[in-house]
Amino acid sequence: MSVLRTAALRSKRTLIAAGLAVAVAAGTGGWAAGSAQTAVTGPAPGAAAWRADHTLGRPLPDPATASPASVARFFASLTGAQRHALAARHPLTVGNLDGAPVPLRYEANSRALKAERNHQLTLAGDPAGTLQDHQQARKAAAHCAELLAPGRRILAFDPRGRGQVAEVHGEITTAQRVAVVVPGSDIDLGSFDRARDPYGTPTGMATSLRRQMTATAPHTRTAVIAWAGYTTPVGLGPDAATGRLAEAGAPRLARLLTGLAATGVPAPAVLCHSYGSVVCGLAVSQTGRGDIADLIVFASPGMRRDSVAELGTSARVWAARDASDWIGDVPNVEFLGLGHGEDPTDPAFGARRVPTERAEGHTGYLAPGTGSLRNFAAIALGRYGEVR
């Protein structure tokens, strides 16, 4: 009888929450405020030319199917000259190939960004284009130029769709402690770093986190990856309410994490903001045991999993949500494909709760001076006793 009663109560809560979800969407303009996105999947452009390259007298690892570990072994078998030649001939492939040596990826992505900048500048002057075409091309060229600034280390760049980027802050090849930032909605090449709402961007979050890690442990070598490697939802449309884009992005995140492990990078703390926590919830079970040290979800609408146990990860799982964050008003339910399930900050979920003193709103968790930033840095450094 108690089992039946529990099931009935759960069903009732689900129906109530589904009604609330509809009410929230209708009351905020909701789904009409967003636009459906086409997920970018598969290898970056140039994969066919890479597969057809037989200059080494043997097949190159297929970027669609080769594991990061096999990619790492392949590059370890090459001479320096052979590696650089491949990066020069196939910059988009090498630059996005998880398991390839990190410095070689920087080199390849510099080439890819220069080529894309020049391509966009050509489009900006194309007489066949419209004024809007020219404006968009100039903006894209400017974003590429920003990523080419001296000192920037671009780990991945894919010009397809709205553009995807990953950047390393610090020296990851010698780092003792590493973190990866996975952003939520409305992030792409154009919003990867911006002056407005900086701590809601991958660059702003990564910069702030690494600065705090350095202040907390000045003698520890650290690196933070700002990863915008999936197609994010735009606005509050159906994409933000479903797992479609997260399902497309999760394998890409998993490959990044297994690729870091394959190249000898210490297991990172992975910080997942907002919709990014949905991506993380689906990705972590696709990684190897020990590939992630800590999983931190904040401002999460849910992870499409009912508990820490269902995540299928050996990582410590942490969750944070500030009382000022509007995400707390979103019903935690998954119903007919809408919603993302249980609240990770609910004690029943099983995550360790992270205090968020002085955080403000949905994107203020990594702002300087906040308790959440200090605690996230402590977790990334493995100083768990300092989380309070």
Side-chain angles (χ1 to χ4, degrees):
M1 182 66 70
S2 60
V3 173
L4 292 174
R5 180 176 295 175
T6 299
L9 289 173
R10 180 175 295 175
S11 177
K12 183 177 180 180
R13 285 198 301 268
T14 299
L15 291 172
I16 292 172
L20 287 172
V22 173
V24 168
T28 60
W31 303 330
S35 58
Q37 301 296 300
T38 300
V40 170
T41 59
W50 167 270
R51 295 187 187 101
D53 189 332
H54 300 294
T55 56
L56 295 180
R58 54 175 164 152
L60 305 183
D62 190 330
T65 60
S67 70
S70 66
V71 170
R73 289 192 296 270
F74 167 78
F75 277 98
S77 72
L78 304 181
T79 66
Q82 289 173 325
R83 295 177 188 176
H84 293 301
L86 286 175
R89 289 199 299 275
H90 309 284
L92 278 171
T93 296
V94 174
N96 291 284
L97 199 54
D98 293 302
V102 170
L104 190 69
R105 293 180 66 175
Y106 296 160
E107 174 189 329
N109 284 312
S110 178
R111 291 177 178 273
L113 281 162
K114 289 175 183 176
E116 182 64 16
R117 177 198 60 192
N118 294 340
H119 171 64
Q120 293 296 335
L121 288 174
T122 298
L123 292 178
D126 185 355
T130 65
L131 177 61
Q132 183 179 18
D133 292 336
H134 294 167
Q135 291 174 337
Q136 290 177 342
R138 282 194 293 270
K139 286 181 180 179
H143 293 315
C144 290
E146 290 169 0
L147 294 175
L148 285 165
R152 300 195 76 166
R153 299 177 173 93
I154 305 305
L155 185 66
F157 168 67
D158 190 335
R160 293 178 295 170
R162 289 154 42 213
Q164 299 181 0
V165 186
E167 180 178 13
V168 177
H169 297 257
E171 183 48 71
I172 201 167
T173 57
T174 59
Q176 298 166 294
R177 290 286 176 173
V178 176
V180 177
V181 174
V182 180
S185 298
D186 300 308
I187 298 297
D188 50 32
L189 176 63
S191 55
F192 186 70
D193 43 11
R194 63 183 180 225
R196 180 181 60 82
D197 188 25
Y199 302 111
T201 70
T203 297
M205 288 190 281
T207 300
S208 184
L209 177 62
R210 183 162 186 262
R211 187 182 297 122
Q212 183 64 46
M213 291 171 70
T214 300
T216 302
H219 301 298
T220 300
R221 298 188 301 275
T222 63
V224 179
I225 300 173
W227 183 80
Y230 77 105
T231 303
T232 66
V234 172
L236 295 174
D239 284 344
T242 68
R244 183 178 64 87
L245 295 181
E247 289 166 0
R252 299 170 76 84
L253 176 59
R255 283 188 65 86
L256 168 83
L257 296 171
T258 55
L260 294 177
T263 52
V265 174
V270 182
L271 287 77
C272 314
H273 177 242
S274 194
Y275 191 85
S277 67
V278 186
V279 180
C280 290
L282 300 177
V284 292
S285 63
Q286 302 175 37
T287 62
R289 184 173 182 83
D291 287 352
I292 307 172
D294 294 275
L295 183 67
I296 307 169
V297 298
F298 56 110
S300 174
M303 303 179 73
R304 299 205 150 231
R305 297 291 184 265
D306 289 335
S307 66
V308 166
E310 286 193 8
L311 290 173
T313 178
S314 60
R316 300 173 191 83
V317 181
W318 309 75
R321 188 184 70 213
D322 191 71
S324 65
D325 189 343
W326 59 260
I327 203 75
D329 295 328
V330 175
N332 288 107
V333 62
E334 186 177 351
F335 182 74
L336 297 178
L338 296 174
H340 303 297
E342 298 297 328
D343 176 6
T345 65
D346 189 315
F349 189 82
R352 308 176 189 207
R353 189 69 184 265
V354 183
T356 59
E357 184 182 5
R358 291 190 296 279
E360 292 185 8
H362 190 59
T363 58
Y365 291 82
L366 283 102
T370 59
S372 45
L373 173 62
R374 176 180 54 78
N375 285 325
F376 293 170
I379 295 168
L381 290 165
R383 299 168 72 145
Y384 306 120
E386 298 178 13
V387 179
R388 56 185 182 274

